[in-house]
Coordinates of all heavy atoms in Angstrom, one line a residue:
A13 N 119.2 139.4 -115.1 CA 118.5 138.4 -116.0 C 117.3 137.7 -115.3 O 116.3 137.4 -116.0 CB 119.5 137.4 -116.5
F14 N 117.4 137.5 -114.0 CA 116.3 136.9 -113.3 C 115.1 137.9 -113.2 O 114.0 137.5 -113.3 CB 116.8 136.5 -111.9 CG 115.7 135.9 -111.1 CD1 115.3 134.6 -111.3 CD2 115.1 136.6 -110.1 CE1 114.3 134.0 -110.5 CE2 114.1 136.0 -109.3 CZ 113.7 134.7 -109.5
L15 N 115.4 139.1 -112.9 CA 114.3 140.1 -112.7 C 113.7 140.6 -114.0 O 112.5 140.8 -114.1 CB 114.9 141.3 -112.0 CG 115.4 141.1 -110.5 CD1 116.0 142.3 -110.0 CD2 114.2 140.6 -109.7
F16 N 114.5 140.7 -115.1 CA 114.0 141.1 -116.4 C 114.5 140.2 -117.5 O 115.4 140.7 -118.3 CB 114.4 142.6 -116.6 CG 114.1 143.5 -115.5 CD1 115.1 144.0 -114.7 CD2 112.8 144.0 -115.3 CE1 114.9 144.8 -113.6 CE2 112.6 144.8 -114.3 CZ 113.6 145.3 -113.4
P17 N 114.0 139.0 -117.6 CA 114.7 138.1 -118.6 C 114.6 138.5 -120.0 O 115.6 138.4 -120.7 CB 113.9 136.8 -118.3 CG 112.7 137.1 -117.6 CD 112.9 138.4 -116.9
A18 N 113.4 138.9 -120.5 CA 113.3 139.3 -121.9 C 114.1 140.5 -122.2 O 114.8 140.6 -123.3 CB 111.8 139.5 -122.3
I19 N 114.1 141.5 -121.4 CA 114.8 142.8 -121.6 C 116.3 142.5 -121.6 O 117.1 143.0 -122.4 CB 114.4 143.8 -120.6 CG1 113.0 144.2 -120.8 CG2 115.4 145.0 -120.7 CD1 112.4 145.1 -119.7
W20 N 116.8 141.6 -120.6 CA 118.2 141.3 -120.6 C 118.7 140.6 -121.8 O 119.7 140.9 -122.4 CB 118.4 140.4 -119.3 CG 119.9 140.0 -119.1 CD1 120.8 140.8 -118.4 CD2 120.6 138.9 -119.5 NE1 122.0 140.2 -118.4 CE2 121.9 139.0 -119.1 CE3 120.2 137.8 -120.3 CZ2 122.9 138.0 -119.3 CZ3 121.2 136.8 -120.5 CH2 122.5 137.0 -120.1
L21 N 117.9 139.6 -122.3 CA 118.2 138.9 -123.6 C 118.3 139.9 -124.8 O 119.2 139.8 -125.6 CB 117.3 137.8 -123.9 CG 117.5 136.6 -123.0 CD1 116.3 135.6 -123.1 CD2 118.7 135.8 -123.3
L22 N 117.3 140.8 -124.8 CA 117.3 141.8 -125.9 C 118.5 142.7 -125.8 O 119.1 143.1 -126.8 CB 116.0 142.6 -126.0 CG 114.8 141.8 -126.3 CD1 113.5 142.6 -126.1 CD2 114.9 141.3 -127.8
F23 N 118.9 143.1 -124.6 CA 120.0 144.0 -124.4 C 121.3 143.3 -124.8 O 122.3 143.9 -125.3 CB 120.1 144.4 -122.9 CG 121.2 145.4 -122.6 CD1 121.2 146.7 -123.0 CD2 122.3 144.9 -122.0 CE1 122.2 147.6 -122.7 CE2 123.4 145.8 -121.7 CZ 123.3 147.1 -122.1
K24 N 121.4 142.0 -124.6 CA 122.6 141.2 -125.0 C 122.5 140.8 -126.5 O 123.3 140.0 -126.9 CB 122.7 139.9 -124.1 CG 122.9 140.2 -122.6 CD 124.3 140.8 -122.4 CE 124.5 141.0 -121.0 NZ 125.9 141.5 -120.7
R25 N 121.6 141.3 -127.2 CA 121.5 141.1 -128.6 C 121.1 139.7 -129.0 O 121.5 139.2 -130.0 CB 122.7 141.6 -129.4 CG 123.1 143.0 -129.1 CD 124.3 143.5 -129.8 NE 124.2 143.4 -131.2 CZ 123.8 144.4 -132.0 NH1 123.3 145.5 -131.5 NH2 123.7 144.2 -133.3
Q26 N 120.4 139.0 -128.1 CA 119.9 137.7 -128.4 C 118.4 137.9 -128.8 O 117.5 137.6 -128.0 CB 120.0 136.8 -127.2 CG 121.4 136.7 -126.7 CD 122.3 136.0 -127.7 OE1 122.0 135.0 -128.3 NE2 123.5 136.6 -128.0
W27 N 118.2 138.3 -130.0 CA 116.9 138.8 -130.5 C 115.8 137.7 -130.4 O 114.7 137.9 -129.9 CB 117.0 139.4 -131.9 CG 118.0 140.4 -132.0 CD1 119.1 140.3 -132.8 CD2 118.1 141.7 -131.4 NE1 119.9 141.5 -132.7 CE2 119.2 142.3 -131.8 CE3 117.3 142.3 -130.4 CZ2 119.6 143.6 -131.4 CZ3 117.6 143.6 -130.0 CH2 118.8 144.2 -130.4
I28 N 116.1 136.5 -131.0 CA 115.1 135.5 -131.1 C 114.7 135.0 -129.7 O 113.5 134.8 -129.4 CB 115.6 134.3 -132.0 CG1 115.7 134.9 -133.4 CG2 114.6 133.2 -132.0 CD1 116.4 133.9 -134.4
A29 N 115.7 134.7 -128.9 CA 115.4 134.2 -127.5 C 114.7 135.3 -126.7 O 113.8 135.0 -125.9 CB 116.7 133.9 -126.8
G30 N 115.1 136.6 -126.8 CA 114.4 137.6 -126.1 C 112.9 137.8 -126.5 O 112.0 137.9 -125.6
I31 N 112.7 137.7 -127.8 CA 111.3 137.8 -128.2 C 110.5 136.6 -127.8 O 109.3 136.7 -127.4 CB 111.2 138.0 -129.8 CG1 111.8 139.4 -130.1 CG2 109.8 137.9 -130.3 CD1 112.1 139.6 -131.6
A32 N 111.1 135.4 -127.9 CA 110.4 134.2 -127.5 C 110.1 134.2 -126.0 O 108.9 133.9 -125.6 CB 111.2 133.0 -127.8
V33 N 111.0 134.7 -125.1 CA 110.7 134.8 -123.7 C 109.6 135.8 -123.4 O 108.7 135.6 -122.6 CB 112.0 135.2 -122.9 CG1 111.8 135.6 -121.5 CG2 113.0 134.0 -123.0
A34 N 109.7 137.0 -124.1 CA 108.6 138.0 -123.9 C 107.2 137.4 -124.3 O 106.3 137.7 -123.6 CB 108.9 139.2 -124.8
I35 N 107.1 136.7 -125.4 CA 105.9 136.2 -125.8 C 105.4 135.1 -124.8 O 104.2 135.1 -124.5 CB 106.0 135.6 -127.3 CG1 106.1 136.7 -128.3 CG2 104.8 134.7 -127.6 CD1 106.5 136.2 -129.7
L36 N 106.3 134.3 -124.4 CA 106.0 133.2 -123.4 C 105.5 133.9 -122.1 O 104.5 133.4 -121.5 CB 107.2 132.3 -123.2 CG 106.9 131.1 -122.3 CD1 105.8 130.2 -122.9 CD2 108.2 130.2 -122.2
Q37 N 106.1 134.9 -121.7 CA 105.7 135.6 -120.4 C 104.3 136.2 -120.6 O 103.5 136.1 -119.7 CB 106.7 136.7 -120.1 CG 108.0 136.2 -119.5 CD 108.9 137.3 -119.1 OE1 109.2 138.2 -119.9 NE2 109.4 137.3 -117.8
L38 N 104.0 136.8 -121.8 CA 102.7 137.3 -122.0 C 101.6 136.2 -122.1 O 100.5 136.4 -121.5 CB 102.7 138.1 -123.4 CG 103.4 139.4 -123.3 CD1 103.4 140.0 -124.7 CD2 102.6 140.4 -122.4
V39 N 102.0 135.1 -122.7 CA 101.0 133.9 -122.8 C 100.7 133.4 -121.4 O 99.6 133.1 -121.0 CB 101.6 132.9 -123.7 CG1 100.8 131.6 -123.6 CG2 101.5 133.3 -125.2
V40 N 101.8 133.2 -120.6 CA 101.6 132.7 -119.2 C 100.8 133.7 -118.4 O 99.9 133.2 -117.7 CB 103.0 132.4 -118.6 CG1 102.8 132.2 -117.1 CG2 103.6 131.2 -119.2

């Protein structure tokens, strides 16, 4: 989860949090 936070959340079926983390990583 530390190395791949968005992918880990999506794999754990936490869709909204995974997409939000991916968008936040792209923005940063």
Side-chain angles (χ1 to χ4, degrees):
F14 179 77
L15 296 174
F16 310 104
I19 295 170
W20 185 85
L21 285 168
L22 292 172
F23 182 75
K24 296 292 184 179
R25 303 179 62 89
Q26 301 298 315
W27 308 116
I28 296 173
I31 292 169
V33 167
I35 290 171
L36 188 57
Q37 285 181 311
L38 287 172
V39 167
V40 167

